[in-house]
Amino acid sequence: FWLKAPSFRARDSLSVMRVTNALFAAALAKLEQGSDKRGFHITMPTRITANEFKLEDLKIVKEGAHPSKEFRIFYEYPVNGEMARISAWHDIPFRAGYSQVEKGLPTFHFVCEIPRGTTAKMEINKEHELNPIAQDLKKGELRFYKYKPEAGSVVNYGAIPQTWESPDTPDELTKIGGDNDPIDVVQLNSRPCEMGEVYPVRILGGLALVDGGETDWKLIVVDDRDAETKSWFDVKDVPVERVSEIREWFRMYKTAEGKGENKFGLNEEAVDATVAKKVAVETFQQWKLLVGEFKDHLSRKEL
């Protein structure tokens, strides 16, 4: 939602302040009611900063049988001394602190939606209350990857919380608006993540998928804790054939549904870690505008 101040003439600063406070109160009330004009369920963030957040205190709560339309993965975290349900999208911090293997290198929280080798199309649900992970539906039916189902996803697939690819904001590189979702992440480690698992990752690069006229970034990341990839800090450290495998999988996967091939921007080349982290920060800024957060909690200098 967006609020437009009414036209008025103020003779003193007090009048301006009263109107501003009224508009701000209305904005907060809208957010606390839980939805915006897009139908997203938006709760006010708990104000847990990256420095305060303790991943070991985050509890995963699964409800319903999987796969089913009722299956949900929620999160609980201590708030004011008591465990409370929080939003996977809005409350888990964007930043995860700094790398264990490279001093001063920022890490980011990865939320596992689709473990490697599986086919159920799981995602952080933007419309449900507290944005749990749920299986996507198409025409009322559960969605599964149909492309090479015997192998399933070639990566651990998920998202970085507190991000949003705004359809109203052309991407600086592709010049095309975003896909209206949290930014997607392809995590390369061989261990399949557990659905709903949250952990710190290093951003190595990214591929600019263009899907249906929308920018749909696929950030390339690795588990910061995994010794298998401790020497990977940039996409150039990743075997070329691995990046090609990811690019081709995302190019072709919708052809199994009778659709055309996906396309990539930027001459299909993967951007490096520096550029990919800037892309991530841009989607963080867009998310803050979405939820009405205007205080910059993260300086670009930290990247």
Side-chain angles (χ1 to χ4, degrees):
F1 67 94
W2 299 98
L3 293 175
K4 183 178 181 181
S7 176
F8 67 95
R9 293 183 179 179
R11 293 183 178 275
D12 54 60
S13 59
L14 183 60
S15 297
V16 176
M17 185 180 298
R18 284 172 177 168
V19 171
T20 302
N21 288 344
L23 289 170
F24 184 67
L28 287 178
K30 285 262 186 192
L31 286 172
E32 290 169 353
Q33 288 169 8
S35 63
D36 79 339
K37 67 180 181 180
R38 300 170 184 83
F40 296 168
H41 194 280
I42 298 177
T43 55
M44 290 301 292
T46 60
R47 306 304 199 276
I48 302 170
T49 67
N51 290 334
E52 296 169 336
F53 185 76
K54 296 181 179 179
L55 190 56
E56 62 270 21
D57 290 340
L58 185 68
K59 181 181 178 182
I60 299 172
V61 180
K62 298 181 180 181
E63 294 185 355
H66 175 68
S68 73
K69 296 179 183 180
E70 293 75 32
F71 181 72
R72 301 285 185 273
I73 296 178
F74 290 95
Y75 295 89
E76 293 183 355
Y77 190 82
V79 177
N80 298 325
E82 297 183 357
M83 294 298 289
R85 286 202 171 176
I86 65 172
S87 167
W89 185 13
H90 303 302
D91 289 325
I92 297 174
F94 171 69
R95 280 286 306 274
Y98 293 96
S99 173
Q100 297 179 9
V101 295
E102 182 72 16
K103 185 177 180 180
L105 185 70
T107 57
F108 304 81
H109 282 119
F110 165 73
V111 178
C112 170
E113 297 169 323
I114 306 173
R116 183 175 182 171
T118 65
T119 61
K121 187 70 170 65
M122 310 299 296
E123 62 182 14
I124 293 174
N125 190 290
K126 299 172 300 196
E127 293 80 20
H128 290 181
E129 184 175 0
L130 294 176
N131 315 111
I133 294 174
Q135 191 161 353
D136 191 24
L137 301 176
K138 184 175 182 179
K139 297 181 179 180
E141 298 299 322
L142 295 172
R143 285 189 66 192
F144 294 88
Y145 286 138
K146 295 181 179 181
Y147 183 66
K148 297 184 177 181
E150 70 283 358
S153 175
V154 296
V155 294
N156 287 320
Y157 191 80
I160 295 178
Q162 294 188 341
T163 62
W164 180 53
E165 292 191 79
S166 170
D168 302 323
T169 306
D171 180 84
E172 288 188 5
L173 297 176
T174 67
K175 311 303 180 185
I176 301 170
D179 71 343
N180 209 28
D181 285 329
I183 198 164
D184 294 328
V185 169
V186 294
Q187 191 255 314
L188 305 185
N189 298 78
S190 58
R191 179 187 74 87
C193 59
E194 180 181 348
M195 192 186 301
E197 188 178 5
V198 180
Y199 51 86
V201 295
R202 300 192 301 275
I203 295 178
L204 309 184
L207 291 166
L209 181 71
V210 178
D211 182 3
E214 299 173 334
T215 300
D216 185 9
W217 278 100
K218 308 299 180 188
L219 296 186
I220 300 170
V221 309
V222 291
D223 184 348
D224 188 59
R225 311 161 302 172
D226 194 338
E228 174 190 28
T229 52
K230 66 180 181 181
S231 62
W232 291 8
F233 298 98
D234 192 273
V235 70
K236 70 178 185 297
D237 300 323
V238 182
V240 173
E241 59 272 17
R242 183 70 169 118
V243 177
S244 296
E245 177 188 31
I246 296 166
R247 185 188 294 109
E248 292 311 304
W249 196 94
F250 281 101
R251 185 198 310 279
M252 301 300 296
Y253 83 99
K254 287 190 176 181
T255 61
E257 302 173 9
K259 300 179 180 179
E261 296 180 8
N262 279 325
K263 300 183 184 300
F264 291 88
L266 312 181
N267 296 318
E268 301 195 350
E269 296 179 3
V271 300
D272 64 18
T274 299
V275 173
K277 281 183 278 190
K278 288 180 179 178
V279 169
V281 170
E282 286 300 324
T283 64
F284 178 49
Q285 301 295 345
Q286 290 170 20
W287 168 82
K288 287 195 291 184
L289 291 173
L290 175 68
V291 300
E293 285 282 335
F294 299 103
K295 184 177 180 181
D296 190 357
H297 295 294
L298 179 65
S299 168
R300 287 177 177 274
K301 293 181 180 178
E302 292 184 74
L303 300 177

